Amino acid sequence: RPQVHAVRTSLASTMFRVLLATLALASAADAMHTSAYRRPVRTSGIQASTKAAQSMPKTVKAGVVTGQALVDLLQHAKENEYAIPAVNTVSSSAINACLEAAKKYKSPIMIQFSRGGGQFLAGKEADNTNDAACIAGCVAGAKMVREVAHLYGIPVVLHTDHCQKSWLPWFDGLMEANEEYFKKEGEPLFSSHMLDLSEEPLEENIEICKKYLERMAKMNCLLEMELGVTGGEEDGVDNSDVDNSLLYTQPEEVYEVYKALSQVEGGAFTVAAAFGNVHGVYAPGNVQLTPDILHNSQKYIKEKEGLDTDKPVFFVFHGGSGSSREDIQYAIKAGVIKMNIDTDTQWSYWDGIRSYEKEFHDYLQGQIGNPEGATKPNKKYYDPRMPLRRAEEFTAKRLGEAMEDLNSVGVCP
């Protein structure tokens, strides 16, 4: 009997150790997939950064910023070496998550819409002849942001993302919406828009961008243009197999853009220069970023133009999801004032829903009946606001991480 007892004790001990190991592995695996909590982020007591917050230009106020206020904000970001997170949104819930994060972490935020995101906002069954739904969805999203942004007490930039040459009818529709709004309100509906003609010859890219900037300058709307190609896939555009040389812009190309667009009276512009960045998240080592391209471009333009400023260009960082903090901050030192975040916030939003379903799984299998009783109602668990709120919380937290990386936490008064 003592021998039997010893065997049972040993077996129980072994099974217990196996159970602990299994739980540890499950926990580790879950942690790997939960990017919204990849590292601690300050969640309370965020204080305004004394230097940056106190020097925030008086033109930059809570709500949507446009025109000179937008330029002042971008200049403030460049001088104080922070970048504004720019997030693609496809729903009012995603918009709310962005605004919540901005308020919580005292950071400016850029809310942007893609062509496909605009169509989704309008509804996939809406008539999209001549991009009508794509245009209407973006306009509706912008108007929602304008109605609520000031309630969060932080500056918000309204932007639209990549527009390639074949999508110019969408861009034209957005220009018309801006011009109509400008007539009534004295400012454009959107703060800025992006033209991505990077697949066209450089001369044509610059020519078309200059033509649109001349139109946009009349209503104080900023243009973002792209040089080189951002790899990966986003919003139905797949550049996964693009020639590797196109992922790296040359300083001479940036200078050509700077010269041409600087000639537009009243024009304001930013440049998304490719430096190896890609859309999406990839395993470490698969993406080779070279932020030195941005540093060299600034130096080149300064010398060519005989300028006093070390950073004459406002640069934009596309494909920021999954980038290392070191690369991000080195790029900011080169004049990056905005970084796009889409893939990581898509995951955090889904991760919030996944977390909610996992926690309340047994309450989500029918309208009636759960572990508390066969006749217990489940309405309060399957109310769509419940999982969507969890998604917002996860996304706001992930954006807090991004704001830490971008040095933008606490820069707003």
Side-chain angles (χ1 to χ4, degrees):
R1 285 184 180 177
Q3 289 179 337
V4 172
H5 176 71
V7 169
R8 287 176 176 171
T9 301
S10 176
L11 180 60
S13 177
T14 300
M15 292 178 66
F16 182 68
R17 288 196 298 271
V18 170
L19 177 61
L20 286 178
T22 302
L23 289 173
L25 286 171
S27 177
D30 192 58
M32 288 175 64
H33 288 290
T34 311
S35 64
Y37 291 96
R38 64 180 186 177
R39 64 170 177 273
V41 181
R42 286 177 282 171
T43 57
S44 62
I46 299 292
Q47 299 297 319
S49 169
T50 303
K51 178 186 174 184
Q54 290 185 353
S55 64
M56 182 67 74
K58 299 299 182 184
T59 55
V60 180
K61 303 182 185 302
V64 175
V65 294
T66 63
Q68 189 59 49
L70 173 58
V71 174
D72 290 346
L73 174 61
L74 300 185
Q75 185 62 36
H76 184 262
K78 189 194 294 184
E79 291 173 354
N80 289 275
E81 295 190 345
Y82 68 87
I84 301 170
V87 188
N88 281 34
T89 57
V90 297
S91 69
S92 60
S93 176
I95 290 171
N96 293 342
C98 294
L99 293 171
E100 178 178 339
K103 178 180 180 179
K104 189 172 185 178
Y105 296 99
K106 295 186 180 296
S107 169
I109 189 78
M110 187 173 291
I111 293 175
Q112 54 190 34
F113 306 97
S114 66
R115 178 172 173 268
Q119 184 182 12
F120 187 86
L121 273 165
K124 296 295 282 187
E125 287 300 312
D127 180 9
N128 196 37
T129 303
N130 298 321
D131 280 341
C134 296
I135 295 166
C138 292
V139 169
K143 288 183 176 179
M144 179 207 161
V145 173
R146 280 195 168 273
E147 284 295 319
V148 302
H150 68 281
L151 302 175
Y152 289 80
I154 40 84
V156 178
V157 181
L158 265 175
H159 183 71
T160 58
D161 207 4
H162 296 265
C163 177
Q164 59 193 42
K165 188 176 180 180
S166 62
W167 293 354
L168 285 176
W170 169 59
F171 200 88
D172 290 332
L174 298 174
M175 291 299 101
E176 292 171 7
N178 279 319
E179 288 162 345
E180 181 180 347
Y181 194 88
F182 186 83
K183 289 177 183 177
K184 298 176 182 177
E185 306 295 339
E187 66 174 341
L189 174 61
F190 292 87
S191 310
S192 55
H193 299 277
M194 180 190 184
L195 276 177
D196 180 2
L197 306 174
S198 56
E199 294 186 357
E200 311 306 323
L202 179 62
E203 295 77 12
E204 184 178 2
N205 184 351
I206 293 175
E207 180 185 354
I208 295 175
C209 284
K210 186 176 180 181
K211 182 186 73 172
Y212 275 101
L213 182 57
E214 289 169 347
R215 180 179 180 181
M216 296 168 74
K218 295 175 183 177
M219 50 185 167
N220 301 320
C221 194
L222 181 144
L223 172 69
E224 176 185 327
M225 66 87 62
E226 178 156 345
L227 280 173
V229 176
T230 302
E233 181 177 359
E234 183 178 55
D235 207 39
V237 178
D238 189 353
N239 290 326
S240 301
D241 299 322
V242 71
D243 182 348
N244 193 61
S245 66
L246 297 177
L247 300 177
Y248 301 94
T249 305
Q250 298 306 309
E252 294 82 1
E253 296 172 315
V254 181
Y255 180 46
E256 290 302 314
V257 170
Y258 180 84
K259 283 195 301 181
L261 298 189
S262 293
Q263 294 172 4
V264 177
E265 184 178 356
F269 62 93
T270 60
V271 179
F275 56 101
N277 35 330
V278 299
H279 291 128
V281 174
Y282 298 86
N286 284 5
V287 178
Q288 299 297 325
L289 294 179
T290 55
D292 280 326
I293 287 175
L294 307 182
H295 287 270
N296 294 339
S297 296
Q298 298 283 26
K299 182 179 179 181
Y300 185 85
I301 294 172
K302 177 185 178 180
E303 292 175 351
K304 282 288 188 179
E305 293 290 302
L307 303 174
D308 293 329
T309 178
D310 291 331
K311 294 181 279 191
V313 181
F314 290 125
F315 278 125
V316 170
F317 185 167
H318 279 250
S321 294
S323 300
S324 74
R325 188 168 191 169
E326 292 72 25
D327 281 337
I328 290 171
Q329 297 198 345
Y330 188 51
I332 289 173
K333 289 183 179 297
V336 164
I337 44 75
K338 168 203 172 193
M339 186 178 84
N340 282 21
I341 306 165
D342 187 20
T343 305
D344 280 353
T345 48
Q346 287 177 347
W347 172 259
S348 64
Y349 197 89
W350 154 248
D351 206 21
I353 294 174
R354 186 177 72 103
S355 163
Y356 183 84
E357 194 284 331
K358 182 178 180 181
E359 181 177 352
F360 298 107
H361 177 82
D362 292 341
Y363 294 80
L364 299 170
Q365 303 310 304
Q367 290 184 286
I368 301 293
N370 59 49
E372 298 175 26
T375 60
K376 293 287 186 179
N378 294 318
K379 186 179 186 304
K380 67 179 181 180
Y381 297 102
Y382 62 77
D383 182 332
R385 290 171 294 183
M386 302 301 287
L388 292 182
R389 178 58 190 148
R390 182 71 65 87
E392 291 172 4
E393 291 171 341
F394 270 48
T395 299
K397 187 171 179 63
R398 177 63 187 88
L399 284 174
E401 293 179 5
M403 290 165 181
E404 292 270 11
D405 290 344
L406 298 172
N407 301 329
S408 70
V409 173
V411 303
C412 293

